[in-house]
Amino acid sequence: MRYEPFVVDGAGRKGRWTVLCDHASNIVPDFVAGGTLGVAQADMARHIAYDLGAEGVSRALAAALDSPAILSRFSRLVIDPNRGEDDPTLIMQLYDGTIIPGNRGISEPDAGERLRRCYRPYHEAVARLTAAHTAPVIISIHSFTPRLRGRAPRPWHVGLLYSTDTRLARPLLARLQAEPDLSVGDNRPYTGHLPGDTIARHAIAAGRLNVLIELRNDLIQTPAQQRNWGARLARVLIETLEHEGL
């Protein structure tokens, strides 16, 4: 079976939203060092390899919005689609205390193969999907670990990341912060976006409404939790768009 670096869920849906999941999978394709990066299975099951729970939330959210979702099918440790091609962290050699042997001293041809067979096809598919919808709104779903090794706990249930375009993020942030059971991070646990990342490339550069949503991964471990968060986010996103007249 031919390897595909992405999957589109609900390609025929007509909603104006496009849901992206850059880090949906911890797959290491066979052409990458025989399908292994030399990382222990326990580490490949951690947040360093993919965004735990984000795929299920993305699928549930897209279905609730009657819109398509596009999900990567390669680990962020193979190559990170949420980075620009010239970003020094595009292919990580060390992540949260774990050395990535298969990435140390990677040759230019090997890095180029990962770009050609994983990174670029994913971004080409995102571009096609967004271009096929009128006035698309791009929602990027990620998850974060409750605590990095040796760091303070992260108390937020959900965080919104944004940079120069705040048209959707600011009113959405206010609505989420008004929900009494949520601790909501404003550009937390990270700040804004990186040059050339997915939102910068497919949303900001084209003037498309957008927001990146980070969910704490211990809150989206089960299919039921993922469905609940997908439905909850869909409700708040729809309310925000309608209230703001966007």
Side-chain angles (χ1 to χ4, degrees):
M1 183 180 295
R2 189 169 72 92
Y3 170 73
E4 294 289 349
F6 63 89
V7 62
V8 177
D9 187 14
R13 295 175 186 149
K14 302 303 183 184
R16 66 181 289 199
W17 312 80
T18 301
V19 178
L20 310 181
C21 192
D22 293 332
H23 303 142
S25 173
N26 62 354
I27 292 172
V28 179
D30 287 344
F31 62 82
V32 177
T36 176
L37 292 169
V39 177
Q41 282 300 114
D43 279 327
M44 290 302 296
R46 293 202 303 131
H47 68 96
I48 66 169
Y50 72 124
D51 283 356
L52 284 76
E55 177 181 358
V57 174
S58 297
R59 289 181 183 272
L61 174 61
L65 295 171
D66 189 31
S67 295
I70 182 165
L71 308 105
S72 70
R73 292 189 66 251
F74 53 92
S75 172
R76 73 199 306 168
L77 296 181
V78 171
I79 191 166
D80 194 335
N82 196 34
R83 297 289 187 272
E85 289 196 14
D86 58 352
D87 192 299
T89 64
L90 181 67
I91 298 176
M92 294 286 282
Q93 298 189 33
L94 175 68
Y95 196 168
D96 195 23
T98 296
I99 294 171
I100 318 302
N103 292 346
R104 299 193 73 180
I106 185 170
S107 69
E108 187 172 332
D110 285 346
E113 184 176 32
R114 298 186 196 185
L115 279 167
R116 290 191 306 273
R117 299 183 67 176
C118 295
Y119 180 100
R120 288 174 183 158
Y122 172 76
H123 281 288
E124 289 163 4
V126 172
R128 287 194 302 270
L129 199 63
T130 53
H133 291 78
T134 303
V137 184
I138 296 180
I139 309 298
S140 185
I141 298 295
H142 292 252
S143 71
F144 63 95
T145 184
R147 186 172 192 166
L148 291 169
R149 288 177 175 173
R151 304 286 185 89
R154 293 161 156 177
W156 312 283
H157 300 115
V158 57
L160 299 189
L161 272 59
Y162 55 91
S163 56
T164 56
D165 183 0
T166 64
R167 292 172 295 166
L168 177 57
R170 281 294 187 186
L172 178 63
L173 181 68
R175 281 185 174 266
L176 287 171
Q177 288 176 332
E179 305 228 341
D181 61 329
L182 291 184
S183 172
V184 183
D186 182 354
N187 265 332
R188 296 289 187 273
Y190 315 105
T191 301
H193 296 291
L194 299 170
D197 69 9
T198 303
I199 290 290
R201 180 172 181 169
H202 297 286
I204 294 174
R208 293 166 175 149
L209 291 168
N210 68 89
V211 69
L212 189 154
I213 300 174
E214 289 269 4
L215 295 164
R216 207 175 70 204
N217 65 29
D218 60 325
L219 303 178
I220 52 173
Q221 293 180 342
T222 69
Q225 290 174 321
Q226 294 159 16
R227 288 192 298 270
N228 288 342
W229 270 102
R232 184 175 194 174
L233 291 173
R235 171 182 60 80
V236 179
L237 283 163
I238 291 168
E239 290 174 355
T240 302
L241 212 64
E242 291 177 348
H243 184 268
E244 298 299 315
L246 295 170

